Amino acid sequence: METLPEKGSPHWEYRRTLARLTPPIERLRREHGAACRPGAVRLTHLSGEDASTFVERRINYLVSWIDLAAPLVLEQLSDAWGRGGAEGDAGEIDAACSDYADALRVLVDWEKEVAAAYDPKDIWTPVFRKMQGSTRGWFEELAALPDFLTRTLTDTTAPTQKVFNPRLTSPPMLNAAFREMVDDAQKRSAPFWQRRPITTGAIAGALFGLWNM
C-alpha cells in the first residue's frame, strides 16, 4: 500500500508529489522509449491526401501541446505546492500529478500513432519516420521532475521552495529539411492535375509555429 507523507511534515508537498508521480513516470518512460523506436507496432496504411492530413494534424497537435498542455500542468503543480510560502493542498497535488502524467501519456500516444503510420507507396513513409521521436526531448524534460525533487529534498543548502523550469525547445528534426520532405511528398502524392510547387499552408503554418518557439 502506498505510504504518503503526513501533511505538515517537512517538505511534505514535494514528497507527496514524488510518491504520486514516480511510478507512472517510470511506466510511461518505458512506453515512450519503445514508441520512439521503429518496430513493434501494428501499421496503419496512409497515402495521398490521408497521409498529408495525418501529418498536418500531428504537427498541429504538437503545437497545441507545447502552447497549452505543458504550461498548464506546470502552473497547476506550482499552485498545488503553495506559492509565496503558503502550504500546499493535498487534493490539488494529487489532481496536478494525475494531469501531469496525462500530459506525458499524450506524448506516448503521439509517438505510437506516428510509429504506426506507413505509406504502401513509400512516398510519405520517410516523413513519418522523420517525425518519430519528435517528442523525446519534451518527454525527458518533464519526466525529470522526480529527479529534480529528489535533489531538492536531499540538498540541505537549497531554498525551501524551488522552481522546476524544464527547457521545452522545438524538436530538432522538424527543421527546414523536414519541411522540404513534406513539400516533396505532397507533390509526388497529389493527382497530376493538382501538383504545385508549394507546401500546403496548414502544414507550413504549423511548422512555422514550432520553429519559432
Side-chain angles (χ1 to χ4, degrees), residues 1 5 29 39 54 76 97:
M1 185 175 179
R29 178 176 274 123
F54 174 82
Q76 183 183 6
C97 289

Side-chain angles (χ1 to χ4, degrees), residues 4 20 37 49 86 126 128 131 135 138 140 156 205 212:
L4 297 174
R20 291 297 196 199
R37 296 190 295 270
E49 187 175 343
F128 302 149
M131 292 169 66
T135 69
W138 292 349
E140 288 303 325
T156 57
N212 286 273

Side-chain angles (χ1 to χ4, degrees), residues 86-147:
E87 187 175 50
D89 182 281
E92 290 182 6
I93 288 174
D94 291 348
C97 289
S98 177
D99 290 344
Y100 198 96
D102 285 347
L104 288 173
R105 163 61 64 186
V106 164
L107 298 185
V108 173
D109 292 342
W110 192 94
E111 290 290 352
K112 286 182 177 180
E113 288 193 39
V114 171
Y118 173 78
D119 181 3
K121 297 180 180 179
D122 208 32
I123 295 175
W124 283 93
T125 300
V127 175
F128 302 149
R129 296 293 75 80
K130 188 71 172 180
M131 292 169 66
Q132 199 170 1
S134 293
T135 69
R136 185 180 287 112
W138 292 349
F139 185 94
E140 288 303 325
E141 285 289 324
L142 289 188
L145 177 57
D147 292 335

